[in-house]
Amino acid sequence: MLTLYHNDMSVCAQKTRMVLAHKGLEWESKHLDLRAGEQFSAEFRKINPKGLVPALVHDDKVVLESNAIVQYLDEVFAAPPLLPVDAVERAEARGWLIRLDAGLHEHIAVVSFCVAFRHQILQRHATPESLQEFFAQIRDPSRRAVMEDIVTNGLMSSRLLLAVFVYDKLLKDMTSCLAASGCLVGRELSLADFAMLPYIERLEQLQLSQWWESYPELGRWLARLRATPAYELGVAQWSNPAYLQLMKESGSDAWPKIQALLSD
Ligand SMILES: N[C@@H](CCC(=O)N[C@@H](CS)C(=O)NCC(=O)O)C(=O)O
């Protein structure tokens, strides 16, 4: 039996649900409201002491870290495979997953919070005392420092500048890989494509798609992935309209500011 602790709009959870769907697997959903702090509950900390989703429980085994989870699923439920047969291409696909853990995941959180999600936190914790309580419940000091910065400083955060430069390079690198076959690696969609999709779609939700206006390969890739049953079951069916609306409204004037950071 597979149980997934997850969140509807979490990029890591979207990736994991797409892989579960692509493999045709049945799973039990344990949805956590991250804004209500359900990831910090004692019950969930027994599953993941770090208080992060997604977490997969397979029978009595716990598998943590979304990139480890999707590779675990691909090994244990081999068909249809999501890593290429060719060893070099497999290494390339894993390289894209490493890129997420080596910074991109934190950068999308920075962009998302600086543009949109900080408004949710500031609304929910409207007094300085309540805001301090929110920060204090984040036990990991480095996660707490990032959250304090991006919620407090928003578009003025120095972390946003770094995130924007990393993303700009990523969009160029993806475009050059997509030019050959429309996939990031090889000729078929792989873990690399499913893993990267939420990180690009999030920019679009934040009204930043002008960023890749001159890269049509990226638009075609997005459309191709969105036409898959895995996207429908793993992403579309879990879309949270309130979050989409917040990102749309907060992001309406974000692009000129991001563009200004890029041209500085
Ligand atoms: N490296 C972890 C990152 C997981 C992660 O950051 N999850 C976010 C949602 S995308 C989360 O649970 N955030 C809750 C929090 O930061 O309190 C993974 O890939 O699973």
Side-chain angles (χ1 to χ4, degrees):
M1 169 158 172
L2 292 166
T3 304
L4 187 70
Y5 291 79
H6 67 127
N7 169 265
D8 47 15
M9 294 300 285
S10 143
V11 282
C12 304
Q14 289 173 328
K15 159 178 56 178
T16 308
R17 291 192 305 256
M18 276 191 286
V19 171
L20 285 162
H22 184 81
K23 301 268 176 191
L25 296 167
E26 298 284 327
W27 53 282
E28 186 195 4
S29 164
K30 300 266 190 195
H31 184 268
L32 304 190
D33 180 343
L34 301 180
R35 294 297 170 269
E38 289 179 359
Q39 71 277 31
F40 302 122
S41 74
E43 188 199 346
F44 182 59
R45 279 190 189 279
K46 284 187 204 144
I47 306 284
N48 186 354
K50 286 188 179 165
L52 293 170
V53 294
L56 180 76
V57 182
H58 183 197
D59 298 331
D60 55 350
K61 298 175 294 283
V62 176
V63 187
L64 300 177
E65 289 293 330
S66 59
N67 287 329
I69 295 172
V70 293
Q71 292 182 75
Y72 173 82
L73 290 171
D74 197 46
E75 278 174 27
V76 176
F77 305 99
L82 270 172
L83 280 174
V85 174
D86 179 77
V88 171
E89 289 179 355
R90 289 167 84 84
E92 283 170 10
R94 292 197 175 101
W96 286 103
L97 303 185
I98 288 170
R99 199 158 168 168
L100 295 176
D101 288 332
L104 199 77
H105 179 69
E106 185 171 315
H107 294 314
I108 195 57
V110 168
V111 178
S112 303
F113 274 81
C114 287
V115 173
F117 295 155
R118 67 187 287 262
H119 299 296
Q120 278 177 326
I121 309 274
L122 292 169
Q123 212 171 20
R124 203 180 255 268
H125 303 281
T127 64
E129 295 75 25
S130 169
L131 194 57
Q132 282 317 311
E133 271 169 35
F134 167 76
F135 293 139
Q137 73 181 329
I138 306 171
R139 292 194 200 164
D140 176 335
S142 75
R143 260 167 79 195
R144 189 166 57 241
V146 172
M147 191 56 88
E148 284 201 44
D149 171 37
I150 57 187
V151 169
T152 311
N153 299 318
L155 292 168
M156 301 306 287
S157 163
S158 57
R159 286 185 168 87
L160 182 64
L161 182 63
L162 178 62
V164 163
F165 275 95
V166 171
Y167 249 107
D168 199 49
K169 168 96 171 67
L170 174 84
L171 296 176
K172 288 177 183 139
D173 290 349
M174 286 181 71
T175 301
S176 64
C177 287
L178 292 172
S181 68
C183 304
L184 286 175
V185 176
R187 308 203 69 76
E188 306 288 337
L189 293 175
S190 72
L191 281 186
D193 301 283
F194 285 120
M196 294 307 298
L197 169 86
Y199 291 82
I200 303 302
E201 184 169 72
R202 172 61 58 80
L203 295 184
E204 191 179 83
Q205 291 162 346
L206 292 165
Q207 312 300 304
L208 300 174
S209 57
Q210 285 178 72
W211 208 335
W212 61 87
E213 208 163 47
S214 52
Y215 306 142
E217 296 84 355
L218 265 169
R220 284 197 289 272
W221 173 80
L222 266 178
R224 178 177 178 180
L225 278 156
R226 283 182 176 145
T228 61
Y231 176 86
E232 178 56 31
L233 291 169
V235 179
Q237 288 189 9
W238 288 95
S239 281
N240 181 326
Y243 275 57
L244 292 176
Q245 186 60 25
L246 171 74
M247 288 192 275
K248 191 171 173 189
E249 280 168 14
S250 315
S252 61
D253 58 354
W255 173 240
K257 293 173 186 152
I258 301 285
Q259 213 176 11
L261 292 178
L262 281 167
S263 57
D264 270 353

